[in-house]
Amino acid sequence: MSVQFSGWEVVDDGASFPGVELTPSQKPQQRGVYTMFHGTSVTSARLIIANGFKQSTGGNLGVGVYVSRDKQKAARYPLNCQNTDRVIFQLRVRPGRVKRIDPLNHPMQFTWHANGYDTAWMPPNVLGLEEDCVFDPKRVEVVGIANAPNPTIQAELEQLLAKTSKKPEGGGDATAAAAAAVCSLCKRKTQQGSPHIKQQCWDCGKNICILMIQHFCPAKPGPGGGKKKV
């Protein structure tokens, strides 16, 4: 007996897992959420945890927040800084629409955001190590301390991060906010500004979310009976 199946490609928005780790040569996808890193000083680390990132005014890719999925790249920053004053953040990054800048002196090297892109990506073949520049700091979230000068500073920063993470955004009801951030169809968490795509099943017409694990169409009379899994 032959069975006909239909399906769709699932793109996870990353809200329900820590983030995908890309190899240096992989381009970030528009709807993905990725694990990346950022190097900074101890003093700046405290400020970033408390107040969030601010745009850098210059660099290889212009204005934005500079991040990399390569920890070795992040470990070089800040430049002209001693290792005893360097901190590496682990991040969750939502790059949005990405422009590949390759080769160096690409015509959009500093104008990619003005041309409708959220992030510029420079692959490792350009300058040796991969880097990304995210225009909107809200797309970059600190989720951990990947490296600190010593255990005391590591513990201090982790404690600060834990306190900041517990604060409800907007001063509203944290429970209500959490409930509003769950897709009504697939019951998985959604990200602010990234609602799940909902559509009608092409066979039975029932509303479905593309991130549902499975969907069964209602039983239809016919040879063999039963239900069809889509």
Side-chain angles (χ1 to χ4, degrees):
M1 178 182 70
S2 62
V3 180
Q4 182 177 357
F5 289 93
S6 299
W8 59 84
E9 181 182 6
V10 175
V11 180
D12 198 312
D13 69 357
S16 56
F17 64 94
V20 175
E21 292 191 14
L22 298 175
T23 62
S25 60
Q26 285 183 288
K27 179 181 178 180
Q29 299 302 307
Q30 180 171 338
R31 291 181 60 82
V33 177
Y34 301 99
T35 296
M36 296 190 188
F37 302 93
H38 175 86
T40 189
S41 67
V42 173
T43 300
S44 294
R46 296 186 182 110
L47 293 173
I48 291 170
I49 291 174
N51 305 312
F53 281 98
K54 293 183 179 180
Q55 293 174 321
S56 296
T57 55
N60 293 324
L61 296 167
V63 177
V65 178
Y66 281 79
V67 300
S68 177
R69 82 279 307 253
D70 193 328
K71 195 183 294 186
Q72 292 182 2
K73 174 75 172 183
R76 297 182 177 186
Y77 293 88
L79 298 174
N80 303 317
C81 181
Q82 298 294 322
N83 288 335
T84 53
D85 191 34
R86 281 182 173 149
V87 172
I88 301 177
F89 282 141
Q90 181 175 329
L91 313 169
R92 291 181 76 215
V93 180
R94 294 185 299 114
R97 192 175 181 216
V98 179
K99 177 61 182 177
R100 176 177 178 144
I101 304 299
D102 181 13
L104 201 62
N105 300 319
H106 187 281
M108 274 195 242
Q109 184 169 343
F110 302 106
T111 61
W112 46 271
H113 183 257
N115 283 274
Y117 294 92
D118 302 301
T119 296
W121 171 59
M122 187 173 283
N125 61 283
V126 179
L127 291 175
L129 291 173
E130 176 274 344
E131 72 176 350
D132 307 75
C133 183
V134 184
F135 188 82
D136 185 354
K138 293 180 180 178
R139 290 182 172 273
V140 183
E141 176 190 2
V142 179
V143 296
I145 311 301
N147 190 66
N150 58 62
T152 301
I153 294 177
Q154 177 97 18
E156 176 202 346
L157 295 177
E158 288 176 348
Q159 189 174 33
L160 288 173
L161 185 58
K163 288 181 180 179
T164 305
S165 300
K166 290 179 181 178
K167 293 180 182 178
E169 294 183 4
D173 187 331
T175 303
V182 175
C183 176
S184 61
L185 295 178
C186 73
K187 308 304 181 186
R188 302 176 70 183
K189 291 182 180 179
T190 64
Q191 289 189 322
Q192 185 177 4
S194 299
H196 290 181
I197 296 176
K198 301 174 183 179
Q199 60 190 42
Q200 287 187 324
C201 173
W202 50 84
D203 188 31
C204 68
K206 185 177 179 179
N207 287 331
I208 58 176
C209 171
I210 66 168
L211 295 184
M212 290 171 63
I213 296 175
Q214 59 184 8
H215 165 64
F216 289 92
C217 294
K220 292 183 178 181
K227 297 181 178 182
K228 182 167 71 174
K229 182 178 180 181
V230 178

